[in-house]
Amino acid sequence: MKIKATLITIGDEILIGQIVDTNSAFIAQQLNQTGIEVEEILSVKDELFTIVEALQRGIDSSDIVIVTGGLGPTKDDKTKNALCHFLDCGLVREAQVLENIKQFFTARGYTKELNNLNQDQALIPAKSTFIQNRYGTAPGLWTNFHGKIIINLPGVPIEMKGLMREEIIPRLRTQFNSVHVVHRNILVTGIPESDLSILLQEWENEIPDFISLAYLPNRTSINLRFSASGYDEKFMKDEIQNQIEKFKQIAGKYLVSEHSNKSQQILGDLLKEKGFTISTAESCTGGTIASILTSIPGSSSYFLGSVVSYATSVKTSVLGVSQQTVEEYSVVSEQVAEQMASGVRQLINTDIAIATTGVAGPCKGEDGKEVGTVWISVTDGKCFLTKKYFYPDLDREDFIAIVSNNALNLVIKFLTS
């Protein structure tokens, strides 16, 4: 039996684009791992009747409705009143919640008497039960409603995540005998999505019905996601591996990794496996490659450092790029990229180095190169793998992100060729 959930995020700041709704993505991931299927995600204004309408819509279509936001102490937080309206009940003060709020402030050195707004956070709908929040002052709420469940969580991500992991997911697992859901991602590069689909058509038609395959392309690679649901988790994992083995017989030369959809994780595993260290020399990417590499736990074992050589003078004075090379070939060139890679590798004393030099825009480079032009070079001190890319249709942010990911994929290719 499939259990369905509707997610509702409340806040005008989401609707005007002031913040990005990351709460729904996190909650959906947690529910998916529990075998609960998200039916719909709604973002609504912090307005009483709009929230009530969203609650009704969620209850009509799902077994579980999870709401984030609008539980704070200020006048623009209307979620509890909307929930009372929906449940046809009033607010009651919970002494345990009030004590939790007092302890929360005391632990942080706040010794003054709680103001009325903070005290009012101990008010909850009479038909709901509270879930203590050790990460903040607003309690979570759990409401049983005609055989279904409404869960209200704070909108602050650290509070929401803590309550989801420690309280909500364990309770849902106890209440529902949901199926297991298994996902497995493999990473493919070097072939367009349409060509890959044609290549895999016969194999894809033979995949068992309980396994679905999703193509998740970006500008530099394709993630293939295998998904299966059922009660025998080991059987599903084994069958997905069996399908991956068949994939390798058909399109193995395009496979970058069997186990990850993050290039930085794949590269990190490769570097650790080979015992190699790496450094970066970044111009147009402005340190983004270094940031991505260090986002992986344990990256200090292989990533040693970076030089953000944005100005030509830094390329020549710090990385040892020849001024003559710059004048002859321009600063955005194959030759400069390779000298940058060599320079940072020697400077930081690593086994491998990556370098980027290009024009992120919106204006042309100082040497007149077109916006979107970039050279990426990888070296181990003996060999180079250097490639030119051109992305004239990207804005600056997307350009930097895609070039950085390309750089990681180029190092993976260098190490696995």
Side-chain angles (χ1 to χ4, degrees):
M1 174 183 173
K2 284 189 175 181
I3 308 301
K4 296 182 178 181
T6 291
L7 310 185
I8 302 172
T9 55
I10 297 172
D12 295 349
E13 64 273 16
I14 296 171
L15 299 177
I16 65 173
Q18 184 177 354
I19 66 169
V20 176
D21 172 24
T22 58
N23 284 353
S24 294
F26 177 84
I27 294 171
Q29 290 168 359
Q30 295 291 307
L31 294 177
N32 183 264
Q33 293 169 12
T34 314
I36 296 172
E37 184 178 288
V38 174
E39 182 79 1
E40 188 173 28
I41 298 175
L42 306 173
S43 292
V44 301
K45 296 179 66 175
D46 208 334
E47 196 276 327
L48 190 142
F49 289 106
T50 304
I51 298 170
V52 171
E53 289 174 0
L55 287 169
Q56 187 63 60
R57 176 168 169 168
I59 283 293
D60 287 344
S61 63
S62 300
D63 306 289
I64 304 164
V65 177
I66 301 181
V67 185
T68 62
L71 296 178
T74 55
K75 289 184 178 180
D76 62 339
D77 293 303
K78 301 181 177 67
T79 300
K80 284 193 293 188
N81 288 328
L83 184 58
C84 284
H85 187 92
F86 181 78
L87 299 173
D88 190 23
C89 69
L91 291 167
V92 296
R93 190 176 299 276
E94 284 287 349
Q96 286 182 263
V97 176
L98 184 59
E99 182 59 30
N100 181 68
I101 295 170
K102 290 177 180 178
Q103 291 179 6
F104 181 85
F105 281 118
T106 300
R108 286 153 181 79
Y110 186 87
T111 57
K112 295 181 180 180
E113 185 176 346
L114 294 181
N115 62 45
N116 291 336
L117 291 178
N118 287 130
Q119 291 190 45
D120 283 350
Q121 288 192 285
L123 294 171
I124 73 167
K127 293 183 180 180
S128 303
T129 57
F130 65 87
I131 304 171
Q132 290 287 31
N133 176 12
R134 67 187 184 91
Y135 299 93
T137 56
L141 301 173
W142 184 288
T143 310
N144 293 309
F145 183 79
H146 300 312
K148 300 187 177 185
I149 299 170
I150 300 172
I151 299 166
N152 291 84
L153 299 172
V156 180
I158 189 171
E159 298 180 34
M160 176 277 297
K161 289 179 180 179
L163 286 170
M164 277 297 296
R165 291 191 182 108
E166 297 170 12
E167 299 287 347
I168 305 305
I169 292 301
R171 294 184 189 206
L172 292 175
R173 281 181 172 149
T174 300
Q175 186 148 344
F176 297 105
N177 183 26
S178 54
V179 298
H180 292 286
V181 176
V182 175
H183 295 297
R184 176 84 176 271
N185 291 281
I186 64 175
L187 186 65
V188 176
T189 61
I191 182 171
E193 180 187 10
S194 57
D195 290 348
L196 181 64
S197 180
I198 292 170
L199 180 63
L200 298 177
Q201 186 173 11
E202 185 175 341
W203 162 74
E204 194 172 345
N205 289 337
E206 298 298 322
I207 292 177
D209 291 340
F210 67 88
I211 297 177
S212 62
L213 186 69
Y215 291 73
L216 308 173
N218 57 48
R219 293 292 291 264
T220 62
S221 58
I222 302 168
N223 288 315
L224 285 182
R225 187 188 67 223
F226 296 81
S227 299
S229 61
Y231 291 99
D232 191 335
E233 187 175 12
K234 182 179 184 303
F235 172 76
M236 291 186 293
K237 288 181 177 179
D238 290 345
E239 185 55 37
I240 288 175
Q241 181 60 49
N242 180 44
Q243 294 302 320
I244 290 173
E245 295 302 321
K246 292 180 179 180
F247 169 89
K248 286 160 66 176
Q249 295 174 16
I250 303 168
K253 67 179 180 179
Y254 303 113
L255 183 64
V256 176
S257 173
E258 291 184 40
H259 299 285
S260 175
N261 62 350
K262 290 184 178 181
S263 297
Q264 59 266 39
Q265 183 69 66
I266 298 167
L267 177 54
D269 291 343
L270 273 172
L271 292 168
K272 285 191 285 188
E273 177 187 326
K274 295 177 180 293
F276 288 171
T277 55
I278 192 167
S279 55
T280 68
E282 302 185 54
S283 183
C284 59
T285 48
T288 302
I289 300 170
S291 177
I292 294 172
L293 283 170
T294 55
S295 68
I296 300 298
S299 56
S300 58
S301 66
Y302 52 82
F303 180 78
L304 300 193
S306 176
V307 174
V308 180
S309 52
Y310 215 63
T312 302
S313 60
V314 178
K315 294 178 178 68
T316 55
S317 63
V318 177
L319 296 178
V321 174
S322 165
Q323 183 63 42
Q324 182 179 347
T325 300
V326 172
E327 292 171 358
E328 185 173 352
Y329 297 102
S330 87
V331 72
V332 180
S333 63
E334 176 183 10
Q335 293 79 6
V336 167
E338 291 184 349
Q339 287 188 18
M340 287 172 64
S342 293
V344 77
R345 179 184 167 276
Q346 293 173 18
L347 180 67
I348 301 180
N349 191 26
T350 56
D351 299 294
I352 304 291
I354 321 170
T356 61
T357 179
V359 187
C363 302
K364 289 185 178 182
E366 59 188 62
D367 56 2
K369 286 290 172 63
E370 292 293 328
V371 172
T373 307
V374 62
W375 283 92
I376 305 174
S377 183
V378 184
T379 186
D380 61 0
K382 299 175 184 177
C383 303
F384 289 92
L385 177 58
T386 307
K387 190 171 180 180
K388 181 183 179 181
Y389 300 86
F390 185 49
Y391 298 115
D393 54 339
L394 298 180
D395 64 25
R396 187 178 182 85
E397 184 177 354
D398 288 341
F399 173 85
I400 292 171
I402 287 173
V403 170
S404 298
N405 199 59
N406 268 331
L408 299 178
N409 287 335
L410 200 64
V411 184
I412 293 169
K413 184 176 180 181
F414 184 88
L415 293 174
T416 55
S417 296

